[in-house]
Amino acid sequence: MGTEPAKNTRCFHKYSFFDSDFPFHIRREIDLPEDYNESKRFRREFWKIIYILDGFGEKLINEQRYPIQPGSIFLIHPEDVTTFSIQSKQLEIYNILFMPELVTDGLNELQDDFDFFSIMNWNPGNNDRPRELLYITESDMEIRRIVKTMEREFNKMPQNYRSRLKLLLLELLILLARKGNRTARHQATDQVVDYIDHLIEKHFAEEFRLDTLAEKIGIDKSRLCRIYRAGTGQTIMDSVRIRRLNEAAEQLTRTNRNISEICFASGFNDLSYFYRCFTGKFGANPGAFRKKFISNE
């Protein structure tokens, strides 16, 4: 969800940093505690990756506070309102600025289990904003190598440097997505439940196998089921079935599709089983449910 700008919010414009035909910029800078305070916020017309080289403190993103230390890395959306609370003598950082169209073709080809790359298409009118844990993480030597190479390519401009910078940016985003996926899969119980609920929402109409899910998340199937039941009070397959039934009810009231089509489109593969489940949840079979809705309308 978008955030209302602070009273003292400065907006950085893309034309101040980019050539019109190559929307990318990287620079290393030193920030001092007096350069930032909590009433002085910033917004931008472009995406930004912040990589912390040295120093510590907090990064404020839309009123949320995140600790920073060497190796911290943040992917900042243009609509984010941000500032630093610097608690060391200075903060040494890399700012990597870009527009997503620079790597759109590459992103379109990537698998994306937790919708990490959907943040590239997110707009402030959409309340289903991607989770911040996906793009706030700790870096590693591989990420540091990529950032350093980006700086060298950008400053020295060797032959084909723009093409290489596009590839490096795409590689960096892929690594951030992988780290985000691992974080989501191995966090505390509520994060595991959240991840499973996300997969149910995204894949409820497909075959849903617990052993495949457990392998995907990296947790033993029995333990995975216990975690989910402890967190929600119901089994994973109960949640899948409820989501499918809600989808079927939605289609019965919103479309003219026949009941068997709705059954299979909602993820069921047995019409009689679908009828039993639907009647058990809604107190009427699908046909009666649709007629009742129409008469109420």
Side-chain angles (χ1 to χ4, degrees), residues 163-187:
S163 296
R164 191 176 187 198
L165 283 170
K166 288 182 182 181
L167 294 173
L168 288 167
L169 177 59
L170 187 61
E171 184 179 0
L172 179 57
L173 291 171
I174 290 170
L175 290 178
L176 292 178
R178 287 180 181 176
K179 292 175 76 66
N181 263 312
R182 288 196 294 268
T183 299
R185 293 174 186 177
H186 298 292
Q187 284 284 351

mmCIF file with all atom_site columns, all heavy atoms in Angstrom, residues 163-187:
data_model
loop_
_atom_site.group_PDB
_atom_site.id
_atom_site.type_symbol
_atom_site.label_atom_id
_atom_site.label_alt_id
_atom_site.label_comp_id
_atom_site.label_asym_id
_atom_site.label_entity_id
_atom_site.label_seq_id
_atom_site.pdbx_PDB_ins_code
_atom_site.Cartn_x
_atom_site.Cartn_y
_atom_site.Cartn_z
_atom_site.occupancy
_atom_site.B_iso_or_equiv
_atom_site.pdbx_formal_charge
_atom_site.auth_seq_id
_atom_site.auth_comp_id
_atom_site.auth_asym_id
_atom_site.auth_atom_id
_atom_site.pdbx_PDB_model_num
ATOM 1   N N   . SER A 1 163 ? 25.614 -3.288  -22.117 1.00 0.00 ? 163 SER A N   1
ATOM 2   C CA  . SER A 1 163 ? 25.070 -4.647  -22.185 1.00 0.00 ? 163 SER A CA  1
ATOM 3   C C   . SER A 1 163 ? 25.466 -5.446  -20.949 1.00 0.00 ? 163 SER A C   1
ATOM 4   O O   . SER A 1 163 ? 24.662 -6.190  -20.383 1.00 0.00 ? 163 SER A O   1
ATOM 5   C CB  . SER A 1 163 ? 25.568 -5.367  -23.442 1.00 0.00 ? 163 SER A CB  1
ATOM 6   O OG  . SER A 1 163 ? 25.097 -4.721  -24.606 1.00 0.00 ? 163 SER A OG  1
ATOM 7   N N   . ARG A 1 164 ? 26.713 -5.270  -20.512 1.00 0.00 ? 164 ARG A N   1
ATOM 8   C CA  . ARG A 1 164 ? 27.144 -6.019  -19.334 1.00 0.00 ? 164 ARG A CA  1
ATOM 9   C C   . ARG A 1 164 ? 26.438 -5.519  -18.081 1.00 0.00 ? 164 ARG A C   1
ATOM 10  O O   . ARG A 1 164 ? 26.092 -6.310  -17.202 1.00 0.00 ? 164 ARG A O   1
ATOM 11  C CB  . ARG A 1 164 ? 28.662 -5.913  -19.168 1.00 0.00 ? 164 ARG A CB  1
ATOM 12  C CG  . ARG A 1 164 ? 29.153 -6.910  -18.119 1.00 0.00 ? 164 ARG A CG  1
ATOM 13  C CD  . ARG A 1 164 ? 30.628 -6.961  -17.946 1.00 0.00 ? 164 ARG A CD  1
ATOM 14  N NE  . ARG A 1 164 ? 30.980 -8.045  -17.042 1.00 0.00 ? 164 ARG A NE  1
ATOM 15  C CZ  . ARG A 1 164 ? 32.145 -8.147  -16.419 1.00 0.00 ? 164 ARG A CZ  1
ATOM 16  N NH1 . ARG A 1 164 ? 33.090 -7.228  -16.613 1.00 0.00 ? 164 ARG A NH1 1
ATOM 17  N NH2 . ARG A 1 164 ? 32.385 -9.161  -15.608 1.00 0.00 ? 164 ARG A NH2 1
ATOM 18  N N   . LEU A 1 165 ? 26.223 -4.214  -17.978 1.00 0.00 ? 165 LEU A N   1
ATOM 19  C CA  . LEU A 1 165 ? 25.517 -3.688  -16.811 1.00 0.00 ? 165 LEU A CA  1
ATOM 20  C C   . LEU A 1 165 ? 24.092 -4.224  -16.728 1.00 0.00 ? 165 LEU A C   1
ATOM 21  O O   . LEU A 1 165 ? 23.593 -4.520  -15.637 1.00 0.00 ? 165 LEU A O   1
ATOM 22  C CB  . LEU A 1 165 ? 25.505 -2.157  -16.849 1.00 0.00 ? 165 LEU A CB  1
ATOM 23  C CG  . LEU A 1 165 ? 26.807 -1.482  -16.438 1.00 0.00 ? 165 LEU A CG  1
ATOM 24  C CD1 . LEU A 1 165 ? 26.761 0.014   -16.734 1.00 0.00 ? 165 LEU A CD1 1
ATOM 25  C CD2 . LEU A 1 165 ? 27.090 -1.710  -14.951 1.00 0.00 ? 165 LEU A CD2 1
ATOM 26  N N   . LYS A 1 166 ? 23.434 -4.372  -17.871 1.00 0.00 ? 166 LYS A N   1
ATOM 27  C CA  . LYS A 1 166 ? 22.090 -4.964  -17.864 1.00 0.00 ? 166 LYS A CA  1
ATOM 28  C C   . LYS A 1 166 ? 22.142 -6.386  -17.311 1.00 0.00 ? 166 LYS A C   1
ATOM 29  O O   . LYS A 1 166 ? 21.305 -6.778  -16.484 1.00 0.00 ? 166 LYS A O   1
ATOM 30  C CB  . LYS A 1 166 ? 21.512 -4.989  -19.282 1.00 0.00 ? 166 LYS A CB  1
ATOM 31  C CG  . LYS A 1 166 ? 21.116 -3.637  -19.833 1.00 0.00 ? 166 LYS A CG  1
ATOM 32  C CD  . LYS A 1 166 ? 20.521 -3.814  -21.223 1.00 0.00 ? 166 LYS A CD  1
ATOM 33  C CE  . LYS A 1 166 ? 20.156 -2.486  -21.851 1.00 0.00 ? 166 LYS A CE  1
ATOM 34  N NZ  . LYS A 1 166 ? 19.554 -2.665  -23.200 1.00 0.00 ? 166 LYS A NZ  1
ATOM 35  N N   . LEU A 1 167 ? 23.124 -7.159  -17.772 1.00 0.00 ? 167 LEU A N   1
ATOM 36  C CA  . LEU A 1 167 ? 23.248 -8.543  -17.311 1.00 0.00 ? 167 LEU A CA  1
ATOM 37  C C   . LEU A 1 167 ? 23.583 -8.598  -15.820 1.00 0.00 ? 167 LEU A C   1
ATOM 38  O O   . LEU A 1 167 ? 23.058 -9.435  -15.084 1.00 0.00 ? 167 LEU A O   1
ATOM 39  C CB  . LEU A 1 167 ? 24.323 -9.272  -18.122 1.00 0.00 ? 167 LEU A CB  1
ATOM 40  C CG  . LEU A 1 167 ? 24.004 -9.487  -19.604 1.00 0.00 ? 167 LEU A CG  1
ATOM 41  C CD1 . LEU A 1 167 ? 25.218 -10.054 -20.331 1.00 0.00 ? 167 LEU A CD1 1
ATOM 42  C CD2 . LEU A 1 167 ? 22.808 -10.408 -19.768 1.00 0.00 ? 167 LEU A CD2 1
ATOM 43  N N   . LEU A 1 168 ? 24.452 -7.715  -15.374 1.00 0.00 ? 168 LEU A N   1
ATOM 44  C CA  . LEU A 1 168 ? 24.817 -7.692  -13.952 1.00 0.00 ? 168 LEU A CA  1
ATOM 45  C C   . LEU A 1 168 ? 23.626 -7.297  -13.081 1.00 0.00 ? 168 LEU A C   1
ATOM 46  O O   . LEU A 1 168 ? 23.423 -7.862  -12.005 1.00 0.00 ? 168 LEU A O   1
ATOM 47  C CB  . LEU A 1 168 ? 25.978 -6.725  -13.731 1.00 0.00 ? 168 LEU A CB  1
ATOM 48  C CG  . LEU A 1 168 ? 27.342 -7.176  -14.253 1.00 0.00 ? 168 LEU A CG  1
ATOM 49  C CD1 . LEU A 1 168 ? 28.325 -6.004  -14.269 1.00 0.00 ? 168 LEU A CD1 1
ATOM 50  C CD2 . LEU A 1 168 ? 27.899 -8.324  -13.411 1.00 0.00 ? 168 LEU A CD2 1
ATOM 51  N N   . LEU A 1 169 ? 22.839 -6.327  -13.540 1.00 0.00 ? 169 LEU A N   1
ATOM 52  C CA  . LEU A 1 169 ? 21.658 -5.921  -12.784 1.00 0.00 ? 169 LEU A CA  1
ATOM 53  C C   . LEU A 1 169 ? 20.660 -7.072  -12.693 1.00 0.00 ? 169 LEU A C   1
ATOM 54  O O   . LEU A 1 169 ? 20.098 -7.343  -11.625 1.00 0.00 ? 169 LEU A O   1
ATOM 55  C CB  . LEU A 1 169 ? 21.006 -4.707  -13.440 1.00 0.00 ? 169 LEU A CB  1
ATOM 56  C CG  . LEU A 1 169 ? 19.707 -4.215  -12.785 1.00 0.00 ? 169 LEU A CG  1
ATOM 57  C CD1 . LEU A 1 169 ? 19.927 -3.829  -11.323 1.00 0.00 ? 169 LEU A CD1 1
ATOM 58  C CD2 . LEU A 1 169 ? 19.134 -3.031  -13.561 1.00 0.00 ? 169 LEU A CD2 1
ATOM 59  N N   . LEU A 1 170 ? 20.460 -7.761  -13.791 1.00 0.00 ? 170 LEU A N   1
ATOM 60  C CA  . LEU A 1 170 ? 19.547 -8.905  -13.785 1.00 0.00 ? 170 LEU A CA  1
ATOM 61  C C   . LEU A 1 170 ? 20.072 -9.989  -12.846 1.00 0.00 ? 170 LEU A C   1
ATOM 62  O O   . LEU A 1 170 ? 19.301 -10.586 -12.069 1.00 0.00 ? 170 LEU A O   1
ATOM 63  C CB  . LEU A 1 170 ? 19.402 -9.451  -15.207 1.00 0.00 ? 170 LEU A CB  1
ATOM 64  C CG  . LEU A 1 170 ? 18.363 -10.552 -15.404 1.00 0.00 ? 170 LEU A CG  1
ATOM 65  C CD1 . LEU A 1 170 ? 16.974 -10.061 -15.044 1.00 0.00 ? 170 LEU A CD1 1
ATOM 66  C CD2 . LEU A 1 170 ? 18.382 -11.045 -16.845 1.00 0.00 ? 170 LEU A CD2 1
ATOM 67  N N   . GLU A 1 171 ? 21.367 -10.242 -12.878 1.00 0.00 ? 171 GLU A N   1
ATOM 68  C CA  . GLU A 1 171 ? 21.955 -11.242 -11.983 1.00 0.00 ? 171 GLU A CA  1
ATOM 69  C C   . GLU A 1 171 ? 21.770 -10.840 -10.522 1.00 0.00 ? 171 GLU A C   1
ATOM 70  O O   . GLU A 1 171 ? 21.433 -11.673 -9.667  1.00 0.00 ? 171 GLU A O   1
ATOM 71  C CB  . GLU A 1 171 ? 23.439 -11.420 -12.302 1.00 0.00 ? 171 GLU A CB  1
ATOM 72  C CG  . GLU A 1 171 ? 24.108 -12.525 -11.482 1.00 0.00 ? 171 GLU A CG  1
ATOM 73  C CD  . GLU A 1 171 ? 25.577 -12.704 -11.824 1.00 0.00 ? 171 GLU A CD  1
ATOM 74  O OE1 . GLU A 1 171 ? 26.092 -11.974 -12.697 1.00 0.00 ? 171 GLU A OE1 1
ATOM 75  O OE2 . GLU A 1 171 ? 26.214 -13.582 -11.211 1.00 0.00 ? 171 GLU A OE2 1
ATOM 76  N N   . LEU A 1 172 ? 21.962 -9.573  -10.227 1.00 0.00 ? 172 LEU A N   1
ATOM 77  C CA  . LEU A 1 172 ? 21.788 -9.093  -8.860  1.00 0.00 ? 172 LEU A CA  1
ATOM 78  C C   . LEU A 1 172 ? 20.346 -9.277  -8.394  1.00 0.00 ? 172 LEU A C   1
ATOM 79  O O   . LEU A 1 172 ? 20.087 -9.731  -7.273  1.00 0.00 ? 172 LEU A O   1
ATOM 80  C CB  . LEU A 1 172 ? 22.197 -7.623  -8.777  1.00 0.00 ? 172 LEU A CB  1
ATOM 81  C CG  . LEU A 1 172 ? 22.059 -6.947  -7.409  1.00 0.00 ? 172 LEU A CG  1
ATOM 82  C CD1 . LEU A 1 172 ? 22.856 -7.687  -6.344  1.00 0.00 ? 172 LEU A CD1 1
ATOM 83  C CD2 . LEU A 1 172 ? 22.517 -5.494  -7.490  1.00 0.00 ? 172 LEU A CD2 1
ATOM 84  N N   . LEU A 1 173 ? 19.390 -8.947  -9.240  1.00 0.00 ? 173 LEU A N   1
ATOM 85  C CA  . LEU A 1 173 ? 17.977 -9.112  -8.878  1.00 0.00 ? 173 LEU A CA  1
ATOM 86  C C   . LEU A 1 173 ? 17.628 -10.582 -8.681  1.00 0.00 ? 173 LEU A C   1
ATOM 87  O O   . LEU A 1 173 ? 16.845 -10.930 -7.786  1.00 0.00 ? 173 LEU A O   1
ATOM 88  C CB  . LEU A 1 173 ? 17.094 -8.487  -9.952  1.00 0.00 ? 173 LEU A CB  1
ATOM 89  C CG  . LEU A 1 173 ? 17.153 -6.961  -10.039 1.00 0.00 ? 173 LEU A CG  1
ATOM 90  C CD1 . LEU A 1 173 ? 16.417 -6.467  -11.281 1.00 0.00 ? 173 LEU A CD1 1
ATOM 91  C CD2 . LEU A 1 173 ? 16.561 -6.315  -8.788  1.00 0.00 ? 173 LEU A CD2 1
ATOM 92  N N   . ILE A 1 174 ? 18.196 -11.465 -9.483  1.00 0.00 ? 174 ILE A N   1
ATOM 93  C CA  . ILE A 1 174 ? 17.963 -12.901 -9.310  1.00 0.00 ? 174 ILE A CA  1
ATOM 94  C C   . ILE A 1 174 ? 18.486 -13.367 -7.959  1.00 0.00 ? 174 ILE A C   1
ATOM 95  O O   . ILE A 1 174 ? 17.816 -14.120 -7.238  1.00 0.00 ? 174 ILE A O   1
ATOM 96  C CB  . ILE A 1 174 ? 18.622 -13.694 -10.455 1.00 0.00 ? 174 ILE A CB  1
ATOM 97  C CG1 . ILE A 1 174 ? 17.865 -13.461 -11.773 1.00 0.00 ? 174 ILE A CG1 1
ATOM 98  C CG2 . ILE A 1 174 ? 18.660 -15.185 -10.135 1.00 0.00 ? 174 ILE A CG2 1
ATOM 99  C CD1 . ILE A 1 174 ? 18.571 -14.017 -12.986 1.00 0.00 ? 174 ILE A CD1 1
ATOM 100 N N   . LEU A 1 175 ? 19.673 -12.921 -7.572  1.00 0.00 ? 175 LEU A N   1
ATOM 101 C CA  . LEU A 1 175 ? 20.232 -13.311 -6.280  1.00 0.00 ? 175 LEU A CA  1
ATOM 102 C C   . LEU A 1 175 ? 19.380 -12.783 -5.131  1.00 0.00 ? 175 LEU A C   1
ATOM 103 O O   . LEU A 1 175 ? 19.160 -13.485 -4.137  1.00 0.00 ? 175 LEU A O   1
ATOM 104 C CB  . LEU A 1 175 ? 21.672 -12.804 -6.153  1.00 0.00 ? 175 LEU A CB  1
ATOM 105 C CG  . LEU A 1 175 ? 22.706 -13.497 -7.048  1.00 0.00 ? 175 LEU A CG  1
ATOM 106 C CD1 . LEU A 1 175 ? 24.082 -12.856 -6.855  1.00 0.00 ? 175 LEU A CD1 1
ATOM 107 C CD2 . LEU A 1 175 ? 22.783 -14.991 -6.737  1.00 0.00 ? 175 LEU A CD2 1
ATOM 108 N N   . LEU A 1 176 ? 18.890 -11.548 -5.259  1.00 0.00 ? 176 LEU A N   1
ATOM 109 C CA  . LEU A 1 176 ? 18.016 -11.009 -4.214  1.00 0.00 ? 176 LEU A CA  1
ATOM 110 C C   . LEU A 1 176 ? 16.732 -11.821 -4.126  1.00 0.00 ? 176 LEU A C   1
ATOM 111 O O   . LEU A 1 176 ? 16.213 -12.071 -3.023  1.00 0.00 ? 176 LEU A O   1
ATOM 112 C CB  . LEU A 1 176 ? 17.701 -9.542  -4.498  1.00 0.00 ? 176 LEU A CB  1
ATOM 113 C CG  . LEU A 1 176 ? 18.867 -8.560  -4.367  1.00 0.00 ? 176 LEU A CG  1
ATOM 114 C CD1 . LEU A 1 176 ? 18.403 -7.153  -4.726  1.00 0.00 ? 176 LEU A CD1 1
ATOM 115 C CD2 . LEU A 1 176 ? 19.451 -8.579  -2.968  1.00 0.00 ? 176 LEU A CD2 1
ATOM 116 N N   . ALA A 1 177 ? 16.194 -12.237 -5.275  1.00 0.00 ? 177 ALA A N   1
ATOM 117 C CA  . ALA A 1 177 ? 14.977 -13.053 -5.269  1.00 0.00 ? 177 ALA A CA  1
ATOM 118 C C   . ALA A 1 177 ? 15.227 -14.391 -4.590  1.00 0.00 ? 177 ALA A C   1
ATOM 119 O O   . ALA A 1 177 ? 14.402 -14.876 -3.812  1.00 0.00 ? 177 ALA A O   1
ATOM 120 C CB  . ALA A 1 177 ? 14.484 -13.261 -6.697  1.00 0.00 ? 177 ALA A CB  1
ATOM 121 N N   . ARG A 1 178 ? 16.367 -15.015 -4.878  1.00 0.00 ? 178 ARG A N   1
ATOM 122 C CA  . ARG A 1 178 ? 16.684 -16.292 -4.239  1.00 0.00 ? 178 ARG A CA  1
ATOM 123 C C   . ARG A 1 178 ? 16.803 -16.138 -2.731  1.00 0.00 ? 178 ARG A C   1
ATOM 124 O O   . ARG A 1 178 ? 16.296 -16.966 -1.973  1.00 0.00 ? 178 ARG A O   1
ATOM 125 C CB  . ARG A 1 178 ? 17.995 -16.839 -4.806  1.00 0.00 ? 178 ARG A CB  1
ATOM 126 C CG  . ARG A 1 178 ? 17.893 -17.378 -6.219  1.00 0.00 ? 178 ARG A CG  1
ATOM 127 C CD  . ARG A 1 178 ? 19.250 -17.881 -6.682  1.00 0.00 ? 178 ARG A CD  1
ATOM 128 N NE  . ARG A 1 178 ? 19.183 -18.391 -8.050  1.00 0.00 ? 178 ARG A NE  1
ATOM 129 C CZ  . ARG A 1 178 ? 20.256 -18.809 -8.715  1.00 0.00 ? 178 ARG A CZ  1
ATOM 130 N NH1 . ARG A 1 178 ? 21.458 -18.758 -8.153  1.00 0.00 ? 178 ARG A NH1 1
ATOM 131 N NH2 . ARG A 1 178 ? 20.123 -19.273 -9.946  1.00 0.00 ? 178 ARG A NH2 1
ATOM 132 N N   . LYS A 1 179 ? 17.484 -15.088 -2.300  1.00 0.00 ? 179 LYS A N   1
ATOM 133 C CA  . LYS A 1 179 ? 17.635 -14.865 -0.863  1.00 0.00 ? 179 LYS A CA  1
ATOM 134 C C   . LYS A 1 179 ? 16.277 -14.589 -0.228  1.00 0.00 ? 179 LYS A C   1
ATOM 135 O O   . LYS A 1 179 ? 16.001 -15.023 0.888   1.00 0.00 ? 179 LYS A O   1
ATOM 136 C CB  . LYS A 1 179 ? 18.610 -13.721 -0.599  1.00 0.00 ? 179 LYS A CB  1
ATOM 137 C CG  . LYS A 1 179 ? 20.044 -14.041 -0.968  1.00 0.00 ? 179 LYS A CG  1
ATOM 138 C CD  . LYS A 1 179 ? 20.958 -12.851 -0.801  1.00 0.00 ? 179 LYS A CD  1
ATOM 139 C CE  . LYS A 1 179 ? 21.278 -12.593 0.649   1.00 0.00 ? 179 LYS A CE  1
ATOM 140 N NZ  . LYS A 1 179 ? 22.078 -13.669 1.268   1.00 0.00 ? 179 LYS A NZ  1
ATOM 141 N N   . GLY A 1 180 ? 15.438 -13.851 -0.950  1.00 0.00 ? 180 GLY A N   1
ATOM 142 C CA  . GLY A 1 180 ? 14.103 -13.593 -0.438  1.00 0.00 ? 180 GLY A CA  1
ATOM 143 C C   . GLY A 1 180 ? 13.287 -14.859 -0.304  1.00 0.00 ? 180 GLY A C   1
ATOM 144 O O   . GLY A 1 180 ? 12.568 -15.059 0.679   1.00 0.00 ? 180 GLY A O   1
ATOM 145 N N   . ASN A 1 181 ? 13.390 -15.754 -1.279  1.00 0.00 ? 181 ASN A N   1
ATOM 146 C CA  . ASN A 1 181 ? 12.692 -17.034 -1.210  1.00 0.00 ? 181 ASN A CA  1
ATOM 147 C C   . ASN A 1 181 ? 13.165 -17.852 -0.027  1.00 0.00 ? 181 ASN A C   1
ATOM 148 O O   . ASN A 1 181 ? 12.368 -18.421 0.710   1.00 0.00 ? 181 ASN A O   1
ATOM 149 C CB  . ASN A 1 181 ? 12.922 -17.825 -2.501  1.00 0.00 ? 181 ASN A CB  1
ATOM 150 C CG  . ASN A 1 181 ? 11.786 -17.674 -3.490  1.00 0.00 ? 181 ASN A CG  1
ATOM 151 O OD1 . ASN A 1 181 ? 10.626 -17.806 -3.114  1.00 0.00 ? 181 ASN A OD1 1
ATOM 152 N ND2 . ASN A 1 181 ? 12.113 -17.396 -4.726  1.00 0.00 ? 181 ASN A ND2 1
ATOM 153 N N   . ARG A 1 182 ? 14.493 -17.911 0.164   1.00 0.00 ? 182 ARG A N   1
ATOM 154 C CA  . ARG A 1 182 ? 15.019 -18.683 1.294   1.00 0.00 ? 182 ARG A CA  1
ATOM 155 C C   . ARG A 1 182 ? 14.564 -18.088 2.613   1.00 0.00 ? 182 ARG A C   1
ATOM 156 O O   . ARG A 1 182 ? 14.230 -18.806 3.551   1.00 0.00 ? 182 ARG A O   1
ATOM 157 C CB  . ARG A 1 182 ? 16.550 -18.727 1.223   1.00 0.00 ? 182 ARG A CB  1
ATOM 158 C CG  . ARG A 1 182 ? 17.082 -19.605 0.110   1.00 0.00 ? 182 ARG A CG  1
ATOM 159 C CD  . ARG A 1 182 ? 18.556 -19.921 0.324   1.00 0.00 ? 182 ARG A CD  1
ATOM 160 N NE  . ARG A 1 182 ? 19.377 -18.733 0.210   1.00 0.00 ? 182 ARG A NE  1
ATOM 161 C CZ  . ARG A 1 182 ? 19.939 -18.332 -0.924  1.00 0.00 ? 182 ARG A CZ  1
ATOM 162 N NH1 . ARG A 1 182 ? 19.726 -18.996 -2.035  1.00 0.00 ? 182 ARG A NH1 1
ATOM 163 N NH2 . ARG A 1 182 ? 20.705 -17.261 -0.952  1.00 0.00 ? 182 ARG A NH2 1
ATOM 164 N N   . THR A 1 183 ? 14.550 -16.763 2.688   1.00 0.00 ? 183 THR A N   1
ATOM 165 C CA  . THR A 1 183 ? 14.090 -16.111 3.913   1.00 0.00 ? 183 THR A CA  1
ATOM 166 C C   . THR A 1 183 ? 12.643 -16.464 4.195   1.00 0.00 ? 183 THR A C   1
ATOM 167 O O   . THR A 1 183 ? 12.278 -16.808 5.323   1.00 0.00 ? 183 THR A O   1
ATOM 168 C CB  . THR A 1 183 ? 14.237 -14.581 3.784   1.00 0.00 ? 183 THR A CB  1
ATOM 169 O OG1 . THR A 1 183 ? 15.616 -14.270 3.585   1.00 0.00 ? 183 THR A OG1 1
ATOM 170 C CG2 . THR A 1 183 ? 13.749 -13.885 5.037   1.00 0.00 ? 183 THR A CG2 1
ATOM 171 N N   . ALA A 1 184 ? 11.824 -16.388 3.168   1.00 0.00 ? 184 ALA A N   1
ATOM 172 C CA  . ALA A 1 184 ? 10.397 -16.676 3.351   1.00 0.00 ? 184 ALA A CA  1
ATOM 173 C C   . ALA A 1 184 ? 10.162 -18.114 3.756   1.00 0.00 ? 184 ALA A C   1
ATOM 174 O O   . ALA A 1 184 ? 9.266  -18.412 4.527   1.00 0.00 ? 184 ALA A O   1
ATOM 175 C CB  . ALA A 1 184 ? 9.647  -16.365 2.059   1.00 0.00 ? 184 ALA A CB  1
ATOM 176 N N   . ARG A 1 185 ? 10.987 -19.022 3.240   1.00 0.00 ? 185 ARG A N   1
ATOM 177 C CA  . ARG A 1 185 ? 10.770 -20.438 3.513   1.00 0.00 ? 185 ARG A CA  1
ATOM 178 C C   . ARG A 1 185 ? 11.271 -20.853 4.890   1.00 0.00 ? 185 ARG A C   1
ATOM 179 O O   . ARG A 1 185 ? 10.786 -21.829 5.455   1.00 0.00 ? 185 ARG A O   1
ATOM 180 C CB  . ARG A 1 185 ? 11.478 -21.275 2.445   1.00 0.00 ? 185 ARG A CB  1
ATOM 181 C CG  . ARG A 1 185 ? 10.873 -21.114 1.061   1.00 0.00 ? 185 ARG A CG  1
ATOM 182 C CD  . ARG A 1 185 ? 11.697 -21.850 0.029   1.00 0.00 ? 185 ARG A CD  1
ATOM 183 N NE  . ARG A 1 185 ? 11.207 -21.574 -1.313  1.00 0.00 ? 185 ARG A NE  1
ATOM 184 C CZ  . ARG A 1 185 ? 11.778 -22.036 -2.415  1.00 0.00 ? 185 ARG A CZ  1
ATOM 185 N NH1 . ARG A 1 185 ? 12.847 -22.779 -2.345  1.00 0.00 ? 185 ARG A NH1 1
ATOM 186 N NH2 . ARG A 1 185 ? 11.278 -21.750 -3.597  1.00 0.00 ? 185 ARG A NH2 1
ATOM 187 N N   . HIS A 1 186 ? 12.258 -20.172 5.428   1.00 0.00 ? 186 HIS A N   1
ATOM 188 C CA  . HIS A 1 186 ? 12.903 -20.644 6.646   1.00 0.00 ? 186 HIS A CA  1
ATOM 189 C C   . HIS A 1 186 ? 12.750 -19.696 7.821   1.00 0.00 ? 186 HIS A C   1
ATOM 190 O O   . HIS A 1 186 ? 13.455 -19.804 8.814   1.00 0.00 ? 186 HIS A O   1
ATOM 191 C CB  . HIS A 1 186 ? 14.390 -20.898 6.370   1.00 0.00 ? 186 HIS A CB  1
ATOM 192 C CG  . HIS A 1 186 ? 14.613 -21.971 5.343   1.00 0.00 ? 186 HIS A CG  1
ATOM 193 N ND1 . HIS A 1 186 ? 14.310 -23.290 5.566   1.00 0.00 ? 186 HIS A ND1 1
ATOM 194 C CD2 . HIS A 1 186 ? 15.052 -21.913 4.063   1.00 0.00 ? 186 HIS A CD2 1
ATOM 195 C CE1 . HIS A 1 186 ? 14.589 -24.007 4.485   1.00 0.00 ? 186 HIS A CE1 1
ATOM 196 N NE2 . HIS A 1 186 ? 15.039 -23.186 3.559   1.00 0.00 ? 186 HIS A NE2 1
ATOM 197 N N   . GLN A 1 187 ? 11.810 -18.781 7.732   1.00 0.00 ? 187 GLN A N   1
ATOM 198 C CA  . GLN A 1 187 ? 11.549 -17.896 8.853   1.00 0.00 ? 187 GLN A CA  1
ATOM 199 C C   . GLN A 1 187 ? 10.752 -18.634 9.916   1.00 0.00 ? 187 GLN A C   1
ATOM 200 O O   . GLN A 1 187 ? 10.521 -19.832 9.832   1.00 0.00 ? 187 GLN A O   1
ATOM 201 C CB  . GLN A 1 187 ? 10.768 -16.662 8.377   1.00 0.00 ? 187 GLN A CB  1
ATOM 202 C CG  . GLN A 1 187 ? 11.606 -15.648 7.636   1.00 0.00 ? 187 GLN A CG  1
ATOM 203 C CD  . GLN A 1 187 ? 12.483 -14.819 8.569   1.00 0.00 ? 187 GLN A CD  1
ATOM 204 O OE1 . GLN A 1 187 ? 12.336 -14.885 9.769   1.00 0.00 ? 187 GLN A OE1 1
ATOM 205 N NE2 . GLN A 1 187 ? 13.392 -14.061 7.998   1.00 0.00 ? 187 GLN A NE2 1
#
